[in-house]
């Protein structure tokens, strides 16, 4: 059997090609892929050939957030049903190393994460018509869920993990810097967690325009309204928790100014080295906490989407068929209009 794949050869060199694949083995399933979202890392690979130390060093099939329908079950698979819509968890910790043994699979020493160029050979991704994958990586959805929503399970899991780093958000004042897909899904999770007030910043009006539908109470364009956050510096800062989803220097530095003493900044966005106001970190006894990927949150994410307890649909801005994958990546790079750009298959 053969499948089309979207394979990245390097900076701005993405091709839709055909390759052979084997039927599912024991413990595996065959998926007819339905939708896949372009993530920031996919986009960095496409636009720049990588980011920081993670560079595309050999051809890689893009994509790590995708959904599909179960077409066939391999031997011994009984908990999934042919025809079901599932999302694929791209995370495959080894289960054997020190961190897996102590219950921290996120920090696995031998992590295989689909669509990631971190290790060599690269782990191949999900932008393809047909995919054979381990059944244990598949989470099933209810009847109402669209493939596009199911494909948001991975980024929503990232945000569930980020919000879990902040402790109880009930009645808390929350700032989210960066209104891309991760920022907006973080808004939705914070809302779901009972935050009393959620303010969102960005430098693109189109991004901010989607924030109210995800649960934001107020948006501030910090490019056109540079004093927009100043009132929040009152009394050494008013926010209990800031989620930095921008990884932009000015946004992060402003977070240190508006978080309250002993407040928490959760670092979700990632970039290279950056300067931060250490005096504020120390003087206000701020907790600045990193958050990477997810673990058991993937199942929570699938359940929340399946029940539409969190409605992810407002972040999905575009869908392109696989043959137009290059156009999809170009669209994803234009934040003046795009949020979550998805590729559809079949
Ligand atoms: Zn491990």
């Amino acid at each position: 059997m053969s499948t089309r794949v979207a394979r990245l050869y390097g900076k701005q060199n993405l091709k839709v090609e055909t390759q052979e694949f084997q039927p599912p083995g024991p413990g595996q399933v065959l998926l007819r892929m339905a939708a896949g979202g372009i993530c920031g890392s996919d986009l960095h690979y496409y636009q720049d050939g990588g980011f920081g130390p993670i560079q595309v060093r050999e051809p890689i099939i893009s994509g790590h957030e995708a959904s599909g329908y179960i077409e066939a079950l391999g031997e011994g698979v009984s908990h999934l049903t042919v025809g079901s819509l599932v999302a694929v968890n791209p995370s495959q910790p080894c289960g054997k190393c020190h961190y897996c043994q102590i219950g921290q699979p996120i920090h696995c020493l031998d992590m295989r994460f689909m669509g990631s160029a971190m290790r060599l050979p690269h782990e191949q991704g999900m932008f393809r018509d047909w995919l054979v994958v381990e059944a244990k990586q598949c989470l099933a959805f209810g009847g109402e869920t669209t493939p596009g929503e199911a494909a948001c399970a991975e980024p929503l899991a990232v945000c569930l993990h980020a919000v879990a780093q902040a402790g109880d958000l009930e009645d808390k004042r929350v700032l989210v810097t960066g209104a891309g897909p991760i920022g907006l899904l973080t808004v939705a999770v914070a809302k779901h967690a009972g935050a009393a007030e959620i303010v969102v910043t960005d430098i693109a009006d189109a991004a901010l325009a989607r924030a109210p539908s995800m649960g934001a109470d107020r948006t501030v364009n910090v490019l056109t309204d540079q004093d927009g956050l100043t009132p929040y510096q009152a009394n050494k800062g008013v926010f209990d928790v800031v989620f930095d989803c921008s990884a932009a220097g000015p946004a992060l530095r402003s977070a240190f100014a508006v978080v309250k003493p002993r407040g928490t900044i959760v670092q979700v966005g990632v970039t290279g080295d950056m300067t931060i106001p250490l005096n504020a970190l120390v003087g206000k006894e701020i907790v600045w906490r990193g958050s990477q990927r997810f673990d058991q949150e993937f199942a929570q994410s699938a359940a929340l989407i399946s029940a539409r307890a969190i409605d992810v649909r407002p972040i999905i801005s575009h869908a392109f068929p696989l043959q137009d994958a290059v156009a999809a990546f170009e669209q994803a790079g234009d934040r003046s209009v795009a949020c979550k750009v998805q590729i559809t298959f079949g």
Side-chain angles (χ1 to χ4, degrees), residues 94-97 100 108-110:
C94 77
K96 300 183 189 109
C97 74
C100 284
C108 175
L109 295 168
D110 197 23

Side-chain angles (χ1 to χ4, degrees), residues 122-145:
H122 297 338
E123 285 297 315
Q124 299 299 312
M126 307 182 195
F127 289 171
R128 45 191 294 159
D129 290 325
W130 298 96
L131 174 67
V132 172
V133 71
E134 298 296 321
K136 66 183 178 189
Q137 290 176 254
C138 296
L139 270 289
F141 288 79
E144 298 273 295
T145 313

Side-chain angles (χ1 to χ4, degrees), residues 89 91-95 97-113 118 157-162 164-165 289-298:
N89 185 340
S91 181
Q92 302 169 87
C94 77
C97 74
H98 170 69
Y99 294 104
C100 284
Q101 292 290 327
I102 65 169
Q104 297 180 14
I106 285 175
H107 302 295
C108 175
L109 295 168
D110 197 23
M111 173 64 82
R112 290 162 57 227
F113 198 89
M118 193 174 288
V158 169
C159 302
L160 288 165
H161 187 67
Q165 308 308 312
R289 186 157 186 185
S291 180
Q292 188 202 215
R293 292 179 178 164
F294 50 83
D295 179 23
Q296 79 289 348
E297 292 91 352
F298 196 92

Side-chain angles (χ1 to χ4, degrees), residues 44-311:
H44 281 303
Y45 293 165
Y46 173 76
Q47 290 178 327
D48 307 318
F51 51 97
I54 304 168
Q55 296 290 323
V56 174
R57 290 161 286 169
E58 63 176 6
I60 180 172
I61 299 172
S62 301
H64 61 265
E65 45 184 79
S67 66
Y69 292 96
I70 297 196
E71 185 77 10
L73 304 175
E75 188 188 324
V77 179
S78 56
H79 71 289
L80 294 168
T81 312
V82 170
S84 291
L85 176 66
V86 299
V88 182
N89 185 340
S91 181
Q92 302 169 87
C94 77
K96 300 183 189 109
C97 74
H98 170 69
Y99 294 104
C100 284
Q101 292 290 327
I102 65 169
Q104 297 180 14
I106 285 175
H107 302 295
C108 175
L109 295 168
D110 197 23
M111 173 64 82
R112 290 162 57 227
F113 198 89
M114 294 178 73
S116 168
M118 193 174 288
R119 43 187 289 163
L120 203 65
H122 297 338
E123 285 297 315
Q124 299 299 312
M126 307 182 195
F127 289 171
R128 45 191 294 159
D129 290 325
W130 298 96
L131 174 67
V132 172
V133 71
E134 298 296 321
K136 66 183 178 189
Q137 290 176 254
C138 296
L139 270 289
F141 288 79
E144 298 273 295
T145 313
T146 63
E149 290 174 270
C152 291
E154 198 272 352
L156 183 63
V158 169
C159 302
L160 288 165
H161 187 67
V163 169
Q165 308 308 312
D168 186 6
L169 286 189
E170 185 81 39
D171 294 327
K172 298 287 174 61
R173 298 182 77 177
V174 171
L175 173 67
V176 177
T177 57
I182 291 294
L184 294 178
L185 291 173
T186 297
V187 169
V189 176
K191 183 79 175 176
H192 187 256
E197 179 187 6
I198 305 172
V199 179
V200 183
T201 64
D202 201 286
I203 57 172
D205 283 332
L208 291 169
R210 294 184 188 90
S213 61
M214 299 303 286
D217 298 291
R218 185 162 173 246
T219 63
V220 179
N221 185 324
V222 288
L223 186 66
T224 57
D225 180 12
Q226 296 193 349
D227 295 323
L229 280 184
T230 303
Y232 299 101
Q233 295 180 17
N235 300 320
K236 293 189 177 185
V238 302
F239 291 107
D240 298 282
V241 180
V242 180
F243 295 95
D244 179 55
C245 301
S246 73
L252 182 57
R253 284 187 285 278
S254 74
F256 282 89
V258 299
V259 73
K260 63 163 59 166
R262 298 194 176 172
T264 299
I265 300 173
V266 179
Q267 191 62 43
V268 190
V270 65
T271 183
D273 294 357
M274 187 183 283
T275 305
I276 61 125
L278 208 53
N279 56 333
L281 178 81
V282 172
K284 289 163 66 173
E285 300 186 308
I286 295 164
V287 175
W288 184 25
R289 186 157 186 185
S291 180
Q292 188 202 215
R293 292 179 178 164
F294 50 83
D295 179 23
Q296 79 289 348
E297 292 91 352
F298 196 92
Q300 288 173 30
S301 174
L304 286 164
I305 290 174
S306 203
R308 286 209 179 125
I310 289 181
D311 189 347

